[in-house]
Amino acid sequence: MADGRLTPDQDALSKIDTTVPHSARIWNYWMGGKDNYEVDRIAGDAYREHAPTIETMARASRRYLIRAVTFVAGELGIRQFLDIGTGLPTYDNTHQVAQRIAPESRIVYVDNDPLVLRHAQALLTSTREGVTEYIDADLHDPERIIERAGKTLDFDRPVALMLMGILGHIQDYEEAKSIVRRLQAALPSGSYFVHYDSTDTDQALKEAQQGYDDTGAIPYVLRSPEQLAAYYEGLELLEPGIVSCPLWRPEPGADPEPTDIHGGVARKP
């Protein structure tokens, strides 16, 4: 910074607000990560007091991501992934799971959080055969995301569109559905939609979420399973459908307990 200008990393750090809790950092805290601040840990602990199952939900969502990406890359043979709402890297991120199965896999991560931007170098690791790219973009502008992702992904070939726990941050439900439709419209036939979001089926979780929203952080809207199912309209749902994430193709011998996170995988005809 000899010329007085901030480096990209310093610029990202300068934009991080450590006075207000942030969902990506709290999720990182619940997952056992270290990329969080005291304000996030306080909010995370307060949330957990109302909804003690939240850490189980957080870890179940990551295990679901691992199983879903393993299935899509392995059994379905998809080699391109567009993961929007990446969040902070923890363990077994999308590119790591996909490239273990197929080293030539191409992954584009999308987020617009400055702390995630700071950790972009951690995300931008790839096998020599594949590609891992990071885009700083806003989910409210899906056309821009597709345009920029198209520099890395070939939208003439199947792509796995991943929206994992992000659509609740779109406050207006009709807008959330519109964003999903516009993203899905850019995908060629044979692509897949991979998704989960938290549901409004538990009163303790609803109270905990309201307490979090009241902190001034970016709110997250809990929605009904029926509302989540609308994201899949026009697609071919794969078994077992839209279910509580631990129940989606559990590991052999597992005895999963359902949580208030629902998701599924569907194919675009």
Side-chain angles (χ1 to χ4, degrees):
M1 201 178 71
D3 60 358
R5 289 180 295 182
L6 296 176
T7 66
D9 191 61
Q10 291 169 327
D11 184 53
L13 283 170
S14 71
K15 296 176 182 176
I16 297 172
D17 185 353
T18 61
T19 66
V20 177
H22 189 282
S23 61
R25 302 194 307 248
I26 295 173
W27 208 251
N28 176 269
Y29 172 53
W30 287 330
M31 297 272 286
K34 300 184 183 302
D35 297 314
N36 48 74
Y37 298 95
E38 183 178 6
V39 67
D40 307 308
R41 296 187 284 274
I42 292 171
D45 290 342
Y47 199 118
R48 186 171 47 204
E49 286 183 13
H50 283 280
T53 62
I54 190 62
E55 281 191 0
T56 299
M57 291 170 59
R59 295 170 193 268
S61 70
R62 177 49 53 120
R63 289 193 290 271
Y64 165 70
L65 180 149
I66 294 167
R67 295 196 309 276
V69 173
T70 298
F71 174 69
V72 171
E75 292 192 35
L76 303 180
I78 298 300
R79 298 293 178 261
Q80 302 191 106
F81 295 80
L82 178 56
D83 186 344
I84 304 175
T86 305
L88 291 164
T90 52
Y91 59 89
D92 277 345
N93 301 289
T94 298
H95 73 285
Q96 294 166 317
V97 178
Q99 291 182 344
R100 273 202 302 266
I101 295 166
E104 70 274 22
S105 296
R106 304 173 74 86
I107 294 89
V108 171
Y109 290 111
V110 181
D111 212 303
N112 69 338
D113 178 79
L115 189 60
V116 176
L117 180 60
R118 180 190 174 197
H119 288 274
Q121 284 303 113
L123 288 175
L124 292 174
T125 57
S126 176
T127 57
R128 293 172 61 183
E129 303 93 331
V131 176
T132 303
E133 186 58 85
Y134 174 84
I135 295 174
D136 183 11
D138 194 323
L139 182 56
H140 289 88
D141 190 358
E143 286 77 19
R144 177 66 172 157
I145 290 174
I146 294 297
E147 176 192 353
R148 295 186 62 187
K151 297 177 182 178
T152 301
L153 305 178
D154 179 359
F155 282 96
D156 290 327
R157 297 171 50 237
V159 175
L161 167 65
M162 300 175 59
L163 295 172
M164 309 293 262
I166 189 67
L167 290 171
H169 288 301
I170 306 298
Q171 299 301 291
D172 183 83
Y173 178 55
E174 292 304 317
E175 183 183 6
K177 288 196 296 182
S178 172
I179 288 169
V180 173
R181 297 285 179 271
R182 288 146 66 192
L183 289 168
Q184 291 171 347
L187 305 178
S189 175
S191 293
Y192 288 87
F193 176 54
V194 187
H195 159 263
Y196 77 75
D197 267 301
S198 300
T199 59
D200 64 356
T201 47
D202 180 77
Q203 184 59 35
L205 189 66
K206 290 167 68 174
E207 292 174 0
Q209 186 61 52
Q210 186 59 58
Y212 169 79
D213 294 346
D214 290 344
T215 66
I218 298 173
Y220 181 92
V221 180
L222 302 173
R223 294 189 166 114
S224 70
E226 292 77 18
Q227 287 177 310
L228 300 188
Y231 298 146
Y232 299 77
E233 288 177 359
L235 306 179
E236 300 169 349
L237 263 172
L238 278 60
E239 291 294 335
I242 307 165
V243 296
S244 176
C245 285
L247 306 183
W248 192 90
R249 298 177 180 256
E251 297 289 344
D255 186 20
E257 291 288 334
T259 68
D260 296 293
I261 300 180
H262 286 206
V265 176
R267 181 183 184 274
K268 181 175 179 178

